[in-house]
Amino acid sequence: MRFFDAHSHIHGKEFDADRSEVLARMRATDVSTITVGTHFESSEKAVALAEKEKNIWATVGLHPTDTKESFDYEAYKKLALSPRVVAIGECGLDYFWEGDGDEREKQKEKFKTQINLALEIGKPIMIHSRPSRGSMDAYENVLDILTSNFSLPTSQSPGNVHFFVGNEKIARRFLELGFTMSFTGVITFARDYDEVIKFLPLSSILSETDCPYVSPVPYRGKRNEPAYVAEVARKIAEIKDISIDQTVSAIAGNINRVFGV
């Protein structure tokens, strides 16, 4: 497959009515994807879809804002042992909706539990980190947890930070740990992340849709889907002033290195 969407939710209800058509468009545009679980039921659906479609892989995990759902370690572990599961997550910290201190502590504990699962089974993590407005606080706390509580693998990438909106300082710290960072359709209509994309080595960049959200130009206002990741890859190539072939080849290599796909 030519293009790779590192983070989608194609197993979600938003695609129930026309998933076969969406999958056909993926095949027609040479797109593969990782469909990402956000709680146990969605993780089950992600794995089931990945086990049926050869160009789809899955993650299993509990989204940080789902603090009311308990994390059943053994149940998630059983799901995660499928050969079509390539990561644990999306997991991390989300402070955008200004949760109180108790809420943030719950998020931190569930994040640590999911890191432990990833380390036990030898798979990377798919990080969701969304800071509060005007801050880098969630990223800083994620990095503190990663560096203070865990011995991350050095022989392979420990994972990917999806929908990266951090600054160069934050990006540099994730680079030091071996993480990749993925970018969405936001970069096709906002210039806020051009400099951090220029700063990052191509070997640390992934493309994603996070569909059904944040459709890229020229699909703004429509439901997003994996086929549209080509627009993200083209924008990355434009920002870095390199060819699209060089960009998609590098992203494919990065996906293979991080997720074994």
Side-chain angles (χ1 to χ4, degrees):
M1 293 291 177
R2 178 172 171 81
F3 294 99
F4 207 103
D5 178 6
H7 188 113
S8 73
H9 301 282
I10 195 173
H11 62 281
K13 64 181 184 299
E14 295 86 354
F15 297 98
D16 284 351
D18 64 341
R19 187 172 288 106
S20 60
E21 290 90 340
V22 173
L23 294 173
R25 286 191 288 273
M26 286 176 60
R27 290 188 286 270
T29 51
D30 286 339
V31 172
S32 295
T33 192
I34 298 172
T35 192
V36 175
T38 55
H39 50 74
F40 191 75
E41 182 181 355
S42 78
S43 294
E44 287 184 309
K45 290 179 179 179
V47 175
L49 182 61
E51 289 179 343
K52 290 192 299 184
E53 300 292 333
K54 66 179 182 179
N55 62 327
I56 298 178
W57 289 262
T59 76
V60 301
L62 182 60
H63 193 281
T65 58
D66 288 334
T67 53
K68 292 182 179 179
E69 180 176 317
S70 61
F71 186 81
D72 187 332
Y73 191 98
E74 292 303 321
Y76 275 97
K77 179 180 175 181
K78 184 177 180 180
L79 270 184
L81 292 176
S82 165
R84 301 299 292 179
V85 172
V86 295
I88 302 301
E90 56 190 291
C91 56
L93 303 174
D94 190 321
Y95 297 166
F96 188 76
W97 302 110
E98 296 296 343
D100 58 25
D102 183 57
E103 174 88 3
R104 292 188 178 189
E105 288 306 311
K106 290 178 182 177
Q107 290 192 24
K108 290 176 183 178
E109 289 309 307
K110 290 182 179 179
F111 181 37
K112 292 175 185 177
T113 301
Q114 292 178 82
I115 298 171
N116 276 324
L117 176 57
L119 292 173
E120 179 186 348
I121 65 174
K123 294 185 179 183
I125 53 175
M126 181 75 77
I127 291 181
H128 171 106
S129 184
R130 194 177 188 189
S132 57
R133 294 168 178 83
S135 172
M136 291 287 115
D137 51 3
Y139 283 122
E140 291 165 351
N141 286 178
V142 162
L143 285 159
D144 289 343
I145 287 171
L146 291 170
T147 55
S148 301
N149 298 83
F150 299 96
S151 178
L152 298 177
T154 56
S155 59
Q156 66 184 59
S157 171
N160 177 63
V161 188
H162 111 92
F163 207 144
F164 188 73
V165 294
N167 56 29
E168 184 176 321
K169 179 181 176 182
I170 294 296
R172 190 183 301 276
R173 291 185 65 188
F174 277 116
L175 283 178
E176 291 171 351
L177 295 175
F179 281 89
T180 52
M181 281 145 274
S182 54
F183 295 88
T184 69
V186 168
I187 68 171
T188 67
F189 55 84
R191 303 276 62 84
D192 306 60
Y193 312 110
D194 287 15
E195 292 308 310
V196 76
I197 291 173
K198 291 176 183 177
F199 161 74
L200 285 170
L202 191 55
S203 59
S204 298
I205 293 176
L206 301 180
S207 54
E208 66 159 288
T209 61
D210 198 23
C211 69
Y213 315 109
V214 291
S215 295
V217 173
Y219 304 105
R220 296 283 290 148
K222 298 180 180 180
R223 180 197 62 183
N224 203 0
E225 62 180 72
Y228 300 165
V229 77
E231 303 304 328
V232 180
R234 291 188 182 101
K235 179 56 69 171
I236 290 170
E238 177 186 316
I239 292 169
K240 295 193 77 66
D241 194 23
I242 57 177
S243 71
I244 185 61
D245 286 342
Q246 184 180 356
T247 301
V248 297
S249 177
I251 289 172
N254 299 341
I255 286 286
N256 178 263
R257 186 181 76 251
V258 178
F259 299 109
V261 171

